[in-house]
Amino acid sequence: MLPFQFYVLLCVSFSRIADAVTQLQRPLLKDLLPDLQCHPQDSLDAWLSNERDFAVGRLLANAAPGGHSLQGAVPGTVVASPSRRDPDYYYQWVRDAAITVATLVRLESESYSPRIEKVLSAYASLQRDLQRASDLGEPKFLVSGKPFTGPWGRPQRDGPALRALTLMHYLRQHNSTNPAVWHSTEPTGAADWFRRLYEPVLPAESIIKADLEYVSHSWRLPGFDLWEEFEGFHFFTAVVQMRAMREGAELAAAFGDVGASSWYHKQHLHLRDLVGKFWDAEHETLVATLNSSRSGLDCSILLGALHGADDFDQAAFDYRSWSDEVLLSLLKLAQDQRDRFPINSAFSHPLFGTGLGRYPEDIYDGCGTSVGNPWFLCTASAAELLYRAALHFKYQGSIRVSSLGLPFWHALNPHITRPCVLTARSHPSFHVTLELLVEAADGFLAVIRRHADDSGALSEQFDGVTGMERGARDLTWSYGAFIEAVAARDAFVGV
């Protein structure tokens, strides 16, 4: 490992070519992103604004109460899609619903909406019924609230962790706008709002407490991955469990649940050790599943980096959106997908204009099994990850290019050829590289624009050959992932 001072010295010499880099980089982008010649940046900005509002509306259409096509759905239901055949996604998955409602919690925190508040309240109430209806590892429920009892990949252990995280965020958001409720001493009424979510008693009857207890006692056991296909230990599951234990320990302490807080904290530390095992040093990539015969490249790694921690908290988490390991994993997945799907062949660079699918070995085509395709949610998640990384570097005022991360940074900016530190104050190349990072993120959103239908609707997949939409229509997670990517973009622009 080279000393930090040596990296700085390298960058001193590197900065001498910064002006040349600045002049050369824009023609390079023009060559890498031919689509942007047809769709100028101001046009992309306008489309993103309109599509974001459209996506929020379509997401809410898949949530009860208020969803316009949710016949028979009990309040609090969030369906994966209104599609009822070829494929039938008219169910509530614990994982998908929790991720979707987390987006609604964030939207509600930014601007109060009676419509969203009704969904949030109903969702929280319904979860207690779902918990009591089946084992907490049950992944899928009918819109009536009854568990799906057919053959399926179960248990899935990411759902309880994600639901606990979503409801903890909802609790904190509600408390920030209704602080008097927290201090209420009334035996009924306002104080019950908190107690239904977390009450420091065993056996656990409150929703968050029940999920945290489940996670703390089951994370050592294998389960199915978020794609519901492989049983084992998975990166995505482990990182959301780790985050749930950390935030759960903080919440338990706030409720005076001292013993639980200590227990959750210990599980968080054990899970940190487990998460570290997903780094494959030989191939220099994170792997989706331990001891798997597959390549390990997977969109779930990007999703784990996004859902495994809030970028603004100070908790130790090695694999955030800006880490070398995550950026390398994104690059290798994008390289594979660029070469795999004909619709990506028009773009010579994997980080600019590539539609991303789930993983290289995927054979699910949206209705049956033949060959996999790019997914809207995976492509949007790549954009969100890069925007969040760019925001981090913008706040930090520097980019440290290590020997490990060099392949990513060289792929992004070919003028970076050695480890160095780019600083905002002394290196114009810092600003060029940061701009390239955002351009790459914009490129992923431009892919979504290119393959969305004329109305703006987003299905699950788009065909890797024709580019036409495939799979379940109006996929809730597709809309949620797009909304979060645009929010990350807005956060960068607003700084």
Side-chain angles (χ1 to χ4, degrees), residues 8 36 70 73 88 128 138 158 216 249-250 285 325 381 420-421 440:
V8 175
L36 292 184
L70 300 184
D88 183 2
R128 176 179 252 178
E138 177 59 43
D158 55 350
S216 72
E250 295 172 355
T285 185
E325 295 86 351
S381 295
C420 64
V421 177

Side-chain angles (χ1 to χ4, degrees), residues 444-463:
F444 285 113
L445 290 186
V447 171
I448 294 175
R449 179 188 185 186
R450 192 159 55 246
H451 297 290
D453 77 5
D454 291 341
S455 72
L458 303 178
S459 61
E460 179 183 68
Q461 309 175 23
F462 48 99
D463 194 283

